[in-house]
Amino acid sequence: MSRPVVSFRRYMALTALSAAAVCALAFAINAAVDPLWHFGGNRFSGVNPHFNERLSKINLLQRRMADYDCVIFGSSRGTLMPGDAFAPHRCFNLSFASGQIEEFVAYADYLHHLGMRPKLVVVGVDGFNFLREGRDPPSIPDFVRELRPPPGVLADYLSAGSLALSWQALTQPGTPRYYDRNFDCVIRADAPAFDPARFRSAEGLQRNDARRRQSIPFDSANARLYGELTKRFPDARVLAYVPPVSAWRIDEMERHGLLEGYLDALYATARHFPRLIDFSLPGEQTARTDNTYDGSHYAVAVNRDMAAQLMSDRAPAWGVDVTAAGRDVYQSRYRQALLAFRDAQEFRASAHLP
């Protein structure tokens, strides 16, 4: 065999070995950090950033599906709802950042395809689902649309994209919310205090031309999609809630003439649920600044309290049971609560209270 042929084969062998070594190293790093939740999560710090929750939560669910008889749908606000708050049910929290109703319906079909038949379904209803224009387009992964398995661990963890996620998880602090070793969403101990003057920086409100979006009216058309979602679970008990938003946000909505449309959309949505509690009513919880870091994502303790009220047959301690209220009563409760909030703010300002 000629010397050039031997050299070429040696070169190809070394190249293949080098490529294999690089792939093995990338896989080892990705497996240890586990940014897409194929294994046990981040083994270095136990902090799991919310990377691509639309995929990573399915990876997690498939390994543990037999453990759950309940599912929670919602946006990033809903990620902070503890699954164990609905005991004796065992809830998997399938909420993800900017989650929209069209996505929930698609994921409901996917869960049915996987064979999941929950006994309890909890749905977070966010106001941005009813914006008349300017909504983000739904982001439904192809594997969910096509009812096929998600990408495998080799496809995910031999990619440069996953390696970039792992590096980001190890070197960047991330947002104030993250998933712990048990994949429960929590708020960082060093999360910033909520500044009412800057509530537009909340996740879910970060959009291009944010000030223009604050004046976009609401529309009730998408209420019917929540009806479609409930039909996907004919044998389950389905409960819904509106996550709290700061009273300052509700006050601004009223000043822009948007509050009535917002409430009409929620009232229309409530017709599709046996119970929907609206926790965005201005009151003691939503007028505080120490139970949320941005006026949109509230402490786990607040979410646990909301879960207890959803499961109870009694009238909610705070918020409004929209299903049980008439439209006029619902609107009146908001007007009264908003007046009380404004009076309290004026008093604090006149008394120079913080």
Side-chain angles (χ1 to χ4, degrees):
M1 187 177 295
S2 66
R3 193 174 190 85
V5 171
V6 172
S7 298
F8 177 75
R9 287 183 175 179
R10 185 176 300 167
Y11 167 77
M12 292 300 295
L14 290 174
T15 300
L17 286 173
S18 298
V22 170
C23 289
L25 179 60
F27 185 87
I29 294 172
N30 285 331
V33 180
D34 198 19
L36 297 177
W37 302 3
H38 281 285
F39 303 115
N42 190 339
R43 299 178 188 177
F44 292 100
S45 66
V47 173
N48 297 288
H50 47 90
F51 295 139
N52 198 354
E53 295 158 296
R54 289 164 173 79
L55 168 60
S56 58
K57 289 201 170 185
I58 292 298
N59 290 336
L60 181 64
L61 175 62
Q62 286 193 123
R63 299 201 314 275
R64 305 180 179 181
M65 193 162 60
D67 296 339
Y68 300 104
D69 67 349
C70 164
V71 63
I72 301 170
F73 292 98
S75 68
S76 58
R77 299 179 179 100
T79 61
L80 290 160
M81 177 66 78
D84 64 2
F86 295 94
H89 292 284
R90 303 173 305 281
C91 291
F92 183 85
N93 193 321
L94 192 55
S95 303
F96 39 74
S98 301
Q100 301 187 63
I101 180 57
E102 295 91 342
E103 296 169 308
F104 303 160
V105 173
Y107 272 87
D109 289 335
Y110 193 71
L111 295 184
H112 190 274
H113 173 71
L114 293 178
M116 189 175 187
R117 304 291 186 269
K119 296 179 181 178
L120 175 67
V121 176
V122 180
V123 183
V125 180
D126 291 275
F128 58 74
N129 284 284
F130 306 102
L131 288 174
R132 189 169 295 174
E133 60 179 89
R135 291 177 62 208
D136 290 341
S139 179
I140 303 171
D142 289 341
F143 74 87
V144 172
R145 290 184 185 274
E146 299 166 8
L147 301 180
R148 56 180 173 80
V153 61
L154 289 178
D156 278 341
Y157 284 175
L158 290 177
S159 71
S162 291
L163 194 60
L165 293 180
S166 293
W167 178 254
Q168 185 177 342
L170 293 173
T171 60
Q172 298 182 20
T175 66
R177 67 179 182 93
Y178 69 93
Y179 292 89
D180 63 15
R181 293 184 186 275
N182 297 319
F183 298 105
D184 292 322
C185 194
V186 296
I187 295 176
R188 297 168 62 100
D190 61 351
F194 170 47
D195 179 0
R198 301 182 61 188
F199 63 81
R200 292 186 189 87
S201 65
E203 290 178 76
L205 293 178
Q206 291 174 337
R207 304 288 193 274
N208 292 331
D209 194 11
R211 287 192 174 276
R212 186 187 71 83
R213 289 180 63 92
Q214 302 308 308
S215 61
I216 295 175
F218 296 91
D219 191 299
S220 301
N222 274 350
R224 64 176 181 80
L225 293 177
Y226 286 93
E228 292 298 316
L229 180 61
T230 60
K231 292 176 183 177
R232 293 328 196 256
F233 303 102
D235 299 322
R237 181 187 183 192
V238 185
L239 302 174
Y241 73 103
V242 180
V245 294
S246 76
W248 287 269
R249 166 64 176 143
I250 298 297
D251 181 58
E252 182 181 73
M253 288 168 58
E254 197 279 334
R255 295 182 189 278
H256 281 90
L258 305 176
L259 185 59
E260 184 173 353
Y262 172 75
L263 298 180
D264 280 344
L266 296 178
Y267 187 76
T269 301
R271 304 305 99 190
H272 297 289
F273 294 102
R275 192 172 208 202
L276 184 150
I277 299 179
D278 178 2
F279 291 105
S280 66
L281 178 78
E284 181 181 352
Q285 291 284 0
T286 60
R288 289 170 56 179
T289 59
D290 62 346
N291 58 1
T292 173
Y293 62 84
D294 61 0
S296 179
H297 298 80
Y298 279 75
V300 172
V302 175
N303 281 271
R304 192 173 292 279
D305 182 40
M306 291 190 292
Q309 295 184 61
L310 282 168
M311 293 291 285
S312 173
D313 293 330
R314 294 178 293 182
W318 54 283
V320 184
D321 186 342
V322 187
T323 310
R327 179 184 179 278
D328 292 342
V329 171
Y330 184 37
Q331 298 266 355
S332 177
R333 288 284 303 275
Y334 258 82
R335 287 193 295 270
Q336 294 171 10
L338 196 51
L339 286 173
F341 169 72
R342 289 172 176 172
D343 287 344
Q345 293 304 301
E346 290 177 5
F347 172 78
R348 298 179 72 86
S350 64
H352 303 290
L353 296 175

